[in-house]
Amino acid sequence: MAGGIGDMMNPKDLLRSFIPLGAAWVLSQLALSEPSKVLLVRGAFLAQSIACMALTMAIRMSIARRAKESDSELVTVEATEVVDSEMKKVKEQLTVFQYDSKTLRESTHQHILGSVIVVVMHLQYEYTIPLWCFSVMRGLQHWEAPLCKMHVRGLSFKEDETLKRPFGSGSKFSLYEMIYRAQADIKVRQGTAASGRGAKKASKREAAAAVLEKRKDSAKKK
């Protein structure tokens, strides 16, 4: 399981994982009073929320404009769904318009969920670091997202190989993917344990049969 997650990491993502630490350090080094830092953090959160909302609207309008042009192109994606109480991967085909709309919708849901979590932590427990780090990271992630690169920044697959649909990054660490991998890992462990128990039972049966055979031989000799 740990090896599988490590395989999905790349150097760029690894470097980005240190950005929250750097952001927290910068905030701690600012020569500001605590109330001033709180105002700064709240202002940063408000600014990134407005910027992300503007980018989302721009992407949505761009997707709508290109809807007719992209109807002929299909994208095959693997969707993780609950089938018979288990997480399984199901392949489906979507048009570019459907795929981009679905990707934008999922990104928006993640942004709203993350915003709610850090805002509740800030208001309920007066934590400022999570709100500050979320404001920095979410703004960068939104700007570097494939949909933003294609529909706002005007990039294509020729300039950036990661823009080939279906997009590779961003879905590898989704909740469904983690659950799917965890279930697969549990099944492997259960299978290994079951085979181990089966081998132990077989060895016990063989030992019992050997003891019984010895008793029969000793009885015959008597």
Side-chain angles (χ1 to χ4, degrees):
M1 182 71 175
I5 295 176
D7 293 340
M8 293 188 292
M9 293 290 290
N10 59 60
K12 193 173 182 180
D13 291 334
L14 192 59
L15 290 174
R16 285 180 179 177
S17 65
F18 291 101
I19 293 178
L21 296 176
W25 181 84
V26 169
L27 182 64
S28 66
Q29 297 300 311
L30 293 177
L32 297 173
S33 62
E34 196 61 30
S36 299
K37 288 184 179 181
V38 171
L39 290 176
L40 174 64
V41 169
R42 291 179 178 178
F45 177 78
L46 180 61
Q48 72 83 24
S49 297
I50 294 174
C52 288
M53 188 181 301
L55 287 175
T56 299
M57 294 302 298
I59 293 170
R60 189 184 298 277
M61 289 188 293
S62 177
I63 292 174
R65 284 197 303 268
R66 303 183 188 183
K68 294 182 179 180
E69 303 174 4
S70 57
D71 281 346
S72 58
E73 185 180 351
L74 295 177
V75 182
T76 302
V77 297
E78 282 189 346
T80 309
E81 299 178 354
V82 179
V83 180
D84 298 330
S85 301
E86 291 185 0
M87 304 296 296
K88 294 184 178 180
K89 288 186 177 181
V90 180
K91 289 187 177 182
E92 60 177 340
Q93 283 192 329
L94 304 172
T95 64
V96 171
F97 170 75
Q98 291 173 332
Y99 177 75
D100 286 0
S101 299
K102 180 182 178 181
T103 304
L104 180 62
R105 185 167 56 252
E106 291 175 351
S107 175
T108 303
H109 289 168
Q110 291 177 1
H111 177 73
I112 293 174
L113 179 60
S115 298
V116 170
I117 292 173
V118 295
V119 168
V120 169
M121 291 176 64
H122 177 66
L123 296 179
Q124 187 70 24
Y125 304 104
E126 298 183 354
Y127 292 155
T128 57
I129 296 298
L131 192 67
W132 171 254
C133 292
F134 179 84
S135 302
V136 174
M137 287 301 298
R138 190 55 191 168
L140 292 174
Q141 289 170 357
H142 212 73
W143 182 250
E144 290 293 325
L147 288 180
C148 184
K149 287 182 177 180
M150 297 180 70
H151 293 280
V152 176
R153 298 168 60 182
L155 300 179
S156 65
F157 175 68
K158 295 179 180 179
E159 292 87 11
D160 191 341
E161 294 182 355
T162 62
L163 299 183
K164 183 178 181 181
R165 298 179 179 89
F167 306 130
S169 60
S171 61
K172 292 180 179 181
F173 291 96
S174 65
L175 178 61
Y176 288 144
E177 184 68 20
M178 290 298 182
I179 295 175
Y180 180 84
R181 288 178 175 272
Q183 286 186 340
D185 186 64
I186 290 172
K187 285 183 178 180
V188 171
R189 292 174 184 270
Q190 288 177 342
T192 304
S195 61
R197 288 193 297 268
K200 287 182 180 179
K201 289 181 180 180
S203 62
K204 287 181 179 180
R205 286 196 297 268
E206 292 176 359
V211 171
L212 183 60
E213 192 67 26
K214 287 181 180 180
R215 289 179 179 178
K216 287 181 179 180
D217 290 342
S218 61
K220 287 180 181 179
K221 290 178 181 179
K222 291 180 180 179

